[in-house]
């Protein structure tokens, strides 16, 4: 198993995705006229009016909170620490870059998910990469491969990753055995998951704004206490990315290590281009009634995850001075030690609680993606969904026992397969994304509330559900 995982990671991350993610992000940034910069205000506008839902779909705000529940997880705490330790301070710069161009990628994939969405047997909106690969490219086989990869990664492996981080943090702070932590987390996750999609999104809508806001406020307070050192830390991040300064971390001075670990951990955190967030974006009732509106909402999610939350973690660690090259202290433990250096023993408890919230919400949100994929594969019946739920919770328990390196490597391999399939698909469908974007922005420029008119897209007549886009 280790040989297979290492081979996949070497091929996907050593050659395909490290450059592919940046190239596709730049491709969409250019084709969309740098939408993420010039129309950032439109993202805020789309979120402000996103509370409405109907019997077929959840609200755009609920979709944003659920995708953030998945994005804002262990990658923002343990993952940032791993990136710093293996790639040095410069790894954070590459996390920023992959997020900035990834905002355009995230916009494109969620816009496509909205456009090609369908209704399931209960009338609930469903969709995502599996559907737009099948309908948009007439490639149901590609959709099926993607769906299987999604179930394996988000339904199973990623839950083990999140549970592993919770177990490490709780054991380190409170001395509770990791195995028992996994069992308790599985019980509480089961309560939310067995409540169905509506229960999960209501949970995310309440918890995510609170947990992210509290964590960022603490980080800002720490930066305020060391405000004279913050500019120097930020300059170190930029210089180290290009080998202009000795990097702080285990791979000191290595531009390649900074780039590789920054991009890998960046994608793991913000998920732009991976094809995960579009699964929940498709379930939303868009406001305004246009596919691009949900694309804008989800692009903002990429910004929040990396440019705000990950940066807060990185600066806090670098300000602490606790990171020692070759010490072997990384992941959750490094983040806890950094916080303890700032606020004393309470710091370790705070990080443990933060990871508990971040990772727990990721577990329940990741499950929604896997359920969406299972329904695409024809497994929408009660028995199949129950089996998926039990398997997902079983992986939570398993993850409590595993070493962090083992679960991270497995997650990287499954994530790489998903991202490769999705990136190819959205590039092939980029013409549709461009047309939708121009349509949305032109209506905004005319002072109208954007509204998708299916009759203006005759090429999509047999590919989209016109009863949804009436």
């Amino acid at each position: 198993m280790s040989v297979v995982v290492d081979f996949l990671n070497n091929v996907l991350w050593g050659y395909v995705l490290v450059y592919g993610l940046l190239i596709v992000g730049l491709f969409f940034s250019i084709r969309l006229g740098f939408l993420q910069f010039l129309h950032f205000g439109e993202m805020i506008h789309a979120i402000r009016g996103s509370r409405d839902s109907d019997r077929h779909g959840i609200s755009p705000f609920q979709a944003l909170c659920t995708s953030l529940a998945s994005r804002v997880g262990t990658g923002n705490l343990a993952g940032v620490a791993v990136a710093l330790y293996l790639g040095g301070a410069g790894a954070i710069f590459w996390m920023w870059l992959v997020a900035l161009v990834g905002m355009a990628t995230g916009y494109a994939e969620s816009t496509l998910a909205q456009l090609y969405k369908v209704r399931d047997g209960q009338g609930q909106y469903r969709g995502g990469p599996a559907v737009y690969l099948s309908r948009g490219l007439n490639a149901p086989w590609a959709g099926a491969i993607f769906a299987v990869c999604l179930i394996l990664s988000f339904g199973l492996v990623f839950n083990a990753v999140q549970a592993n981080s919770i177990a490490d943090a709780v054991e380190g702070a409170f001395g509770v055995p990791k195995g028992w932590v996994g069992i308790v987390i599985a019980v509480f996750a089961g309560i939310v998951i067995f409540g169905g999609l509506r229960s999960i999104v209501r949970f995310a809508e309440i918890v995510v704004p609170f947990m992210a806001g509290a964590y960022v406020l603490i980080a800002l307070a720490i930066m305020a206490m060391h405000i004279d050192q913050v500019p120097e830390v930020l300059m170190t991040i930029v210089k180290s990315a290009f080998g202009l300064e000795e990097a702080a971390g285990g791979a000191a001075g290595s531009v390649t290590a900074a780039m590789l670990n920054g991009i890998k951990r960046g994608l793991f955190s913000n998920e732009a281009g991976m094809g995960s967030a579009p699964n929940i974006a498709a379930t939303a009732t868009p406001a305004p009634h246009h596919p691009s509106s949900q694309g804008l909402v989800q692009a903002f999610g990429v910004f929040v995850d990396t440019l705000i939350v990950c940066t807060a973690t990185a600066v806090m660690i670098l300000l602490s001075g606790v990171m020692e090259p070759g010490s072997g202290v990384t992941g959750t433990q490094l983040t806890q030690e950094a916080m303890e250096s700032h606020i004393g023993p309470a710091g370790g408890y705070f990080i443990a609680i933060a990871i508990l919230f971040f990772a727990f919400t990721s577990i329940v949100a990741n499950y929604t993606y896997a359920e969406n994929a299972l329904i695409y594969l024809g497994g929408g019946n009660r028995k199949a969904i129950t089996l998926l739920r039990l398997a997902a919770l079983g992986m939570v328990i398993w993850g409590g026992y595993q070493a962090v390196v083992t679960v991270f490597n497995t997650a990287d391999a499954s994530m790489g397969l998903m991202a490769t399939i999705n990136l190819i698909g959205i590039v092939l469908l980029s013409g549709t994304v461009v047309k939708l974007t121009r349509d949305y922005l032109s209506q905004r420029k005319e002072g109208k509330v954007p509204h998708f008119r299916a009759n203006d897209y005759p090429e999509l007549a047999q590919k989209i559900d016109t009863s949804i886009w009436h």
Side-chain angles (χ1 to χ4, degrees):
M1 182 64 180
S2 296
V3 172
V4 173
V5 168
D6 290 344
F7 173 77
L8 286 174
N9 280 331
N10 182 54
V11 172
L12 294 173
W13 291 106
Y15 302 96
V16 179
L17 289 175
V18 168
Y19 304 105
L21 283 166
L22 290 176
I23 291 170
V24 172
L26 285 170
F27 170 77
F28 276 107
S29 295
I30 294 169
R31 288 212 67 181
L32 299 175
F34 294 97
L35 176 83
Q36 68 269 46
F37 304 114
L38 299 181
H39 298 282
F40 186 81
E42 188 60 37
M43 296 179 191
I44 306 298
H45 190 276
I47 293 168
R48 287 174 58 192
S50 64
R51 293 284 186 167
D52 295 334
S53 61
D54 60 24
R55 63 189 180 90
H56 298 296
I58 64 176
S59 74
F61 183 73
Q62 287 176 326
L64 173 62
C65 288
T66 306
S67 67
L68 279 173
S70 176
R71 288 185 171 116
V72 180
T74 57
N76 300 80
L77 294 123
V80 170
V82 170
L84 283 170
Y85 184 78
L86 297 178
I92 306 306
F93 174 86
W94 294 103
M95 289 184 75
W96 290 344
L97 185 59
V98 79
L100 288 172
V101 299
M103 289 173 71
T105 310
Y107 164 82
E109 60 184 358
S110 289
T111 297
L112 288 170
Q114 266 287 310
L115 176 66
Y116 289 103
K117 67 185 179 185
V118 295
R119 291 191 182 100
D120 64 17
Q122 284 70 49
Q124 170 71 50
Y125 293 141
R126 297 285 183 175
V131 176
Y132 60 66
L133 289 168
S134 177
R135 286 176 162 248
L137 296 177
N138 194 28
W141 58 270
I145 293 174
F146 179 89
V148 170
C149 288
L150 182 64
I151 291 171
L152 291 174
S153 56
F154 279 84
L156 302 175
V157 176
F158 281 7
N159 282 343
V161 174
Q162 304 296 344
N164 182 267
S165 290
I166 295 176
D168 275 347
V170 172
E171 183 182 51
F174 305 104
V176 180
K178 295 172 66 174
W180 284 109
V181 174
I183 292 171
V184 172
I185 293 301
V187 170
F188 281 97
I191 293 172
V192 179
I193 287 172
F194 274 89
L197 178 64
R198 299 275 180 176
S199 170
I200 293 171
V201 299
R202 284 194 295 268
F203 173 80
E205 184 180 24
I206 295 170
V207 175
V208 169
F210 167 77
M211 71 175 193
Y215 181 75
V216 171
L217 284 174
I218 292 293
L220 287 174
I222 290 172
M223 282 187 257
M225 293 185 327
H226 302 275
I227 192 64
D228 57 321
Q229 301 174 44
V230 171
E232 181 183 350
V233 166
L234 295 176
M235 285 304 299
T236 298
I237 290 173
V238 176
K239 290 179 180 179
S240 298
F242 300 99
L244 301 178
E245 183 171 309
E246 187 79 354
S254 173
V255 176
T256 302
M259 182 178 178
L260 177 65
N261 286 283
I263 292 176
K264 187 188 296 184
R265 296 272 77 84
L267 175 62
F268 181 81
S269 179
N270 67 55
E271 301 178 14
M274 195 192 308
S276 53
N279 289 275
I280 198 66
T283 68
T285 300
H289 192 71
H290 194 288
S292 290
S293 64
Q294 183 59 205
L296 290 164
V297 168
Q298 294 299 333
F300 184 74
V302 176
F303 175 85
V304 170
D305 172 88
T306 304
L307 275 300
I308 296 179
V309 183
C310 285
T311 300
T313 301
V315 173
M316 188 246 324
I317 292 174
L318 291 172
L319 283 171
S320 72
V322 301
M323 187 166 61
E324 295 290 339
S327 67
V329 178
T330 184
T332 301
Q333 186 181 354
L334 176 58
T335 308
Q336 285 180 307
E337 288 189 5
M339 185 63 81
E340 287 172 354
S341 76
H342 291 297
I343 63 176
Y349 300 128
F350 175 78
I351 291 298
I353 294 170
I355 285 181
L356 175 62
F357 274 99
F358 282 23
F360 183 81
T361 54
S362 291
I363 288 169
V364 297
N366 287 348
Y367 167 76
T368 66
Y369 300 163
E371 181 179 286
N372 200 53
L374 183 65
I375 290 172
Y376 170 81
L377 293 171
N381 58 79
R382 183 179 297 274
K383 181 179 180 181
I385 289 178
T386 300
L387 287 173
L388 176 63
R389 290 170 176 173
L390 293 174
L393 297 175
M395 289 298 288
V396 170
I397 297 173
W398 176 81
Y401 292 96
Q402 301 305 304
V404 66
V405 174
T406 302
V407 289
F408 263 128
N409 285 345
T410 307
D412 285 342
S414 57
M415 179 173 62
L417 287 171
M418 273 181 54
T420 301
I421 296 169
N422 184 57
L423 290 175
I424 293 171
I426 61 177
V427 167
L428 294 176
L429 292 168
S430 60
T432 300
V433 178
V434 172
K435 185 174 180 179
L436 287 167
T437 306
R438 290 173 178 169
D439 178 34
Y440 182 95
L441 294 177
S442 66
Q443 291 187 58
R444 272 287 186 227
K445 190 174 182 180
E446 294 169 7
K448 300 177 181 177
V449 176
H451 192 90
F452 178 77
R453 297 176 294 269
N455 291 338
D456 294 343
Y457 297 79
E459 69 275 16
L460 300 176
Q462 304 301 318
K463 297 182 177 182
I464 64 173
D465 188 337
T466 53
S467 69
I468 293 176
W469 296 110
H470 55 80

